[in-house]
Amino acid sequence: MGLYELFIQPFAEFGFMRRALVACLALALGSAPMGTLLVLRRMSLMGDAMAHAVLPGAAIGFAIAGFSLPAMGAGGLAAALLVAVLAGWVAQVTTQREDASFAAFYLIALAAGVLIVSTHGSPVDLMHVLFGSILAVDDTALISVAGVASVTLLVVAAAYRPLLVASVDPGFLRSVGGAERTLHFVFLGLVVLNLVAGFQALGTLMAVGLMMLPATAARFWAREVWSLAAVATLIALASAAGGLLLSYHLQLPSGPAIVLLAGAGYVVSLLAGRHDSLLARRIALRAHRVA
C-alpha cells in the first residue's frame, strides 16, 4: 500500500471523511488555545467537569427532538453555562472552592444526563451521545463547529493580554482595575462553546480530550503562551487527521482513535520533550554531574 492509499485516498474519495477532517481541524483551532489557558489557570479538571455538564442539556434536547444537533447543542450550551454560573456563585457565597463546586455539579449533571437518555432511548443512543460520531458530521454541524472556532479565535485575539494576565495573575489584574470577573465568565463561555462544538462531533466524554491532551503535551515543547497554543494546535491537528486515518484503515471508532492518538502524543512529549520531560531531566542531570 502506497502513500497515496494510506494518507490521501480516504479523504479524496469519501465526502464524509473530508467533512470529518474539516470538523476536526476547526475543533483543534478553537479548542487548543482554550486548553492552553485552562492549563495556565490550573483548571484542567474543570474542563472535564464542564464537558460532563453538557450532557443533561443535550439529553433534554434528544428527548424532545431526537438526534437533532441544533436542539442537543442548544440544550448542552444552556446546561453547561448554568453549571458554570452555579459553580461560580457557590464559590462566591460560601467558602467552598470553585473546583469543588464544579465537581459536585458535574456529577449531578452526568447522572441526570445518563438517566434522561436511558429513559428516552436505547443503549445505542446513549453510546452515541456519550462518544459521538465524527464520521456522521453533516453540513449544519460543520458550520456550527467552524463558527465556534472563528468566534473563539476572534475573542482571544481581541482580549489576548487581559485573558493572559487573568490566567497567570488575576490578583494583579484586580489591583489595576481590570474586569477580572467579567473576563473569567467570558473565558468560561468560550470553553463551554468549544465543548458543545466538540460534543456534536466527539460526544460528551471525548470532547474534552482534544482540548486538554494537546495542551498538556505542549508544556514539554514550548514556554511562551503563544508558542504553547501553537504547539497544542499542531498536536491536535495531527491527532485528528491521524485518528481519522487509523479509524478508516483499522475499522476503529473514530472518536476514541483521535483521543488515544492525542494521548500518545502526550506520552511521547512526557518522555522526550524539550522541557522538563524525562529525557530532558536526565540530560540536565548528566550535564550537572559532568560540570
Side-chain angles (χ1 to χ4, degrees):
M1 186 179 291
L3 293 178
Y4 175 81
E5 289 80 6
L6 278 174
F7 299 106
I8 300 176
Q9 185 181 33
F11 302 117
E13 296 187 0
F14 300 103
F16 69 91
M17 287 290 288
R18 290 194 295 272
R19 283 195 298 272
L21 179 62
V22 173
C24 284
L25 297 183
L27 283 174
L29 289 172
S31 295
M34 292 296 97
T36 301
L37 292 174
L38 280 169
V39 171
L40 287 176
R41 288 170 173 251
R42 294 179 173 87
M43 293 174 61
S44 301
L45 291 178
M46 286 190 190
D48 183 61
M50 293 174 69
H52 289 78
V54 170
L55 184 56
I60 293 173
F62 167 76
I64 295 173
F67 282 112
S68 168
L69 286 181
M72 295 174 69
L77 177 62
L81 288 174
L82 178 61
V83 168
V85 170
L86 287 175
W89 176 75
V90 169
Q92 289 176 13
V93 300
T94 70
T95 58
Q96 189 173 61
R97 291 182 55 177
E98 191 174 27
D99 58 345
S101 56
F102 260 114
F105 283 116
Y106 106 75
L107 289 170
I108 296 170
L110 177 62
V114 171
L115 183 64
I116 294 169
V117 176
S118 299
T119 54
H120 289 81
S122 66
V124 175
D125 296 328
L126 178 61
M127 293 293 289
H128 181 81
V129 172
L130 291 176
F131 299 104
S133 180
I134 185 68
L135 298 180
V137 169
D138 58 14
D139 292 341
T140 301
L142 192 58
I143 292 172
S144 173
V145 172
V148 168
S150 300
V151 169
T152 299
L153 293 176
L154 288 172
V155 173
V156 170
Y160 176 74
R161 288 184 182 275
L163 281 173
L164 180 58
V165 175
S167 298
V168 299
D169 195 351
F172 172 76
L173 187 62
R174 286 193 297 269
S175 69
V176 297
E180 189 268 337
R181 184 174 299 177
T182 300
L183 284 170
H184 181 68
F185 281 108
V186 168
F187 170 71
L188 290 181
L190 290 176
V191 172
V192 168
L193 279 174
N194 281 275
L195 289 173
V196 170
F199 148 77
Q200 297 184 30
L202 300 174
T204 56
L205 296 184
M206 294 286 125
V208 72
L210 202 61
M211 179 179 289
M212 297 312 308
L213 284 170
T216 53
R219 294 296 296 269
F220 297 105
W221 298 101
R223 289 300 191 200
E224 294 82 5
V225 176
W226 69 268
S227 57
L228 283 170
V231 172
T233 301
L234 290 175
I235 294 174
L237 294 175
S239 302
L244 287 173
L245 290 172
L246 284 176
S247 71
Y248 174 81
H249 290 296
L250 302 180
Q251 302 299 308
L252 299 173
S254 52
I258 291 170
V259 176
L260 281 176
L261 201 58
Y266 170 76
V267 172
V268 170
S269 302
L270 171 65
L271 294 175
R274 291 181 58 194
H275 306 290
D276 294 329
S277 67
L278 297 180
L279 179 62
R281 285 177 176 269
R282 185 173 181 179
I283 292 174
L285 181 60
R286 184 179 299 174
H288 176 72
R289 287 176 177 174
V290 171

